[in-house]
Amino acid sequence: MERIPFESYAFGKLMLTGEYAVMHGARALALPTRYGQQLKATPLPYSEKLIWQARDADGQIWLSVTFEGKELIPSESTAEADTLIKLLKKAQELNPAFKYTGYQVETLLEFSRHWGLGSSSTLVALLAQWSQCDAFELFFSTLSGSGYDVAVSLHGKPLLFKLRKPKPEVQLLEYTMPDVDSLCFLYLGKKQSSQAELSRTASVQIDPVLIDDVDTISIELSRVNTSADFDYLLEQHEGLISRLIGLPTIKQSLFKNYPLLIKSLGAWGGDFALVRISSASDLQYFKNKGYDTIVPAREMIRH
């Protein structure tokens, strides 16, 4: 593959339904965010180096590393550099024509790295596009998880996702959450390790009926058009996942007296929760508890 400039974009994600259960066959309903990650690769004449510079949403450099030669010997050994090496080498294995040396690569993450919107999945999608390899092959051979986030990163549309290998089942949707203007994303301030959380159900006896129920809710939720049905289904979903992983819902543990919808998103206990807000006093309720980052759904979700 000739060294040519490359530039692309991948979308962030939020999983509305299917957390944990997606690994056991349930469909997940997932949404793209308005925030994503950019990648720009510029050829370096007469060089076999790979210079990598990653910036965060504030424009600050959070990773700067130079790799030497085909073996990608890093100027500084870090977990992030090791992940890059693994991804780049696998991408070349999947497409031997791909040459990753002789480039300066710049990435820009449009959301906080602590927000859990897909810093890894957007990177996988971008590297797959750059190397012209299959994004799911690259993901499943290097990282862990269902791959739903890679699907969202690639398509930038709402979708239903079902884990199948080697190729997941992805159904793109035209979808907007009912009464979206009264929905917000509440940042809980505790980014969770996806790998650690997935191991939570690794040794649990899985109830296939529960998985089927989660699957049904994901499908039904993609079709409802009233906020009452939407909220009811998500509250039912919270109860199912609570049974699956043996933890109380976020409403039970943190917001017991809140009268409206509160739904955990992704790994329970961190990242974001979806909340229904009916008045300024509802916003103040969360701020009084110390939760100051509250993003309106219209600002977060890509429509």
Side-chain angles (χ1 to χ4, degrees):
M1 183 184 291
E2 181 187 354
R3 286 178 186 161
I4 58 175
F6 174 83
E7 192 167 353
S8 193
Y9 184 87
F11 299 91
K13 52 70 189 178
L14 282 166
M15 181 186 282
L16 194 55
T17 64
E19 64 271 21
Y20 301 96
V22 69
M23 298 301 298
H24 304 283
R27 285 175 179 81
L29 176 58
L31 308 174
T33 67
R34 293 177 60 187
Y35 313 106
Q37 184 166 198
Q38 306 170 31
L39 181 148
K40 181 179 182 181
T42 305
L44 292 173
Y46 316 111
S47 175
E48 290 299 318
K49 294 182 179 181
L50 171 62
I51 301 172
W52 196 283
Q53 192 172 82
R55 294 182 182 272
D56 62 19
D58 296 321
Q60 300 298 310
I61 296 173
W62 64 271
L63 176 65
S64 183
V65 61
T66 297
F67 299 96
E68 297 282 352
K70 295 181 179 179
E71 291 306 307
L72 295 175
I73 300 170
S75 56
E76 182 180 0
S77 183
T78 64
E80 292 83 3
D82 290 344
T83 298
L84 267 176
I85 292 169
K86 183 165 63 171
L87 286 167
L88 288 163
K89 288 187 174 181
K90 177 54 68 170
Q92 188 177 66
E93 182 182 319
L94 295 173
N95 178 13
F98 172 52
K99 306 298 181 188
Y100 44 66
T101 56
Y103 282 96
Q104 177 169 338
V105 175
E106 299 170 284
T107 64
L108 174 62
L109 201 61
E110 296 176 343
F111 52 84
S112 168
R113 290 190 295 127
H114 306 294
W115 275 16
L117 297 185
S119 53
S120 296
S121 54
T122 51
L123 178 62
V124 168
L126 289 165
L127 290 179
Q129 293 171 55
W130 183 27
S131 63
Q132 297 178 26
C133 73
D134 184 273
F136 290 112
E137 278 192 82
L138 179 59
F139 175 80
F140 288 129
S141 58
T142 53
L143 302 176
S144 59
S146 69
Y148 90 92
D149 42 7
V150 175
V152 177
S153 291
L154 290 171
H155 294 289
K157 289 181 70 67
L159 54 83
L160 283 169
F161 177 95
K162 186 176 180 64
L163 178 58
R164 297 186 190 277
K165 292 186 180 180
K167 201 74 155 182
E169 179 185 307
V170 178
Q171 180 186 348
L172 302 182
L173 305 170
E174 296 297 329
Y175 177 77
T176 302
M177 295 183 290
D179 196 11
V180 66
D181 289 322
S182 68
L183 291 170
C184 294
F185 292 96
L186 178 72
Y187 182 55
L188 301 173
K190 297 178 181 178
K191 182 171 172 55
Q192 296 289 75
S193 164
S194 297
Q195 181 57 51
E197 284 301 299
L198 288 175
S199 66
R200 181 184 293 280
T201 60
S203 59
V204 172
Q205 183 71 32
I206 301 300
D207 179 358
V209 175
L210 187 153
I211 300 300
D212 286 344
D213 288 345
V214 172
D215 186 77
T216 298
I217 286 177
S218 294
I219 295 170
E220 289 185 358
L221 199 75
S222 72
R223 298 169 179 168
V224 300
N225 51 27
T226 70
S227 58
D229 289 340
F230 179 86
D231 293 3
Y232 172 78
L233 286 171
L234 286 183
E235 286 165 356
Q236 295 300 304
H237 186 281
E238 284 284 271
L240 291 170
I241 302 302
S242 176
R243 281 171 48 200
L244 176 64
I245 65 176
L247 289 177
T249 67
I250 188 172
K251 180 178 277 193
Q252 291 169 334
S253 59
L254 295 177
F255 309 109
K256 188 169 289 187
N257 60 340
Y258 189 72
L260 303 178
L261 171 73
I262 301 182
K263 163 72 173 68
S264 293
L265 300 174
W268 280 27
D271 299 338
F272 283 92
L274 180 69
V275 300
R276 179 80 67 187
I277 301 288
S278 65
S279 65
S281 63
D282 290 340
L283 278 175
Q284 195 60 47
Y285 169 85
F286 294 109
K287 290 180 179 179
N288 289 344
K289 285 181 169 288
Y291 299 96
D292 294 320
T293 302
I294 304 172
V295 185
R298 277 204 184 275
E299 294 181 16
M300 178 72 83
I301 300 301
R302 182 173 187 257
H303 297 287

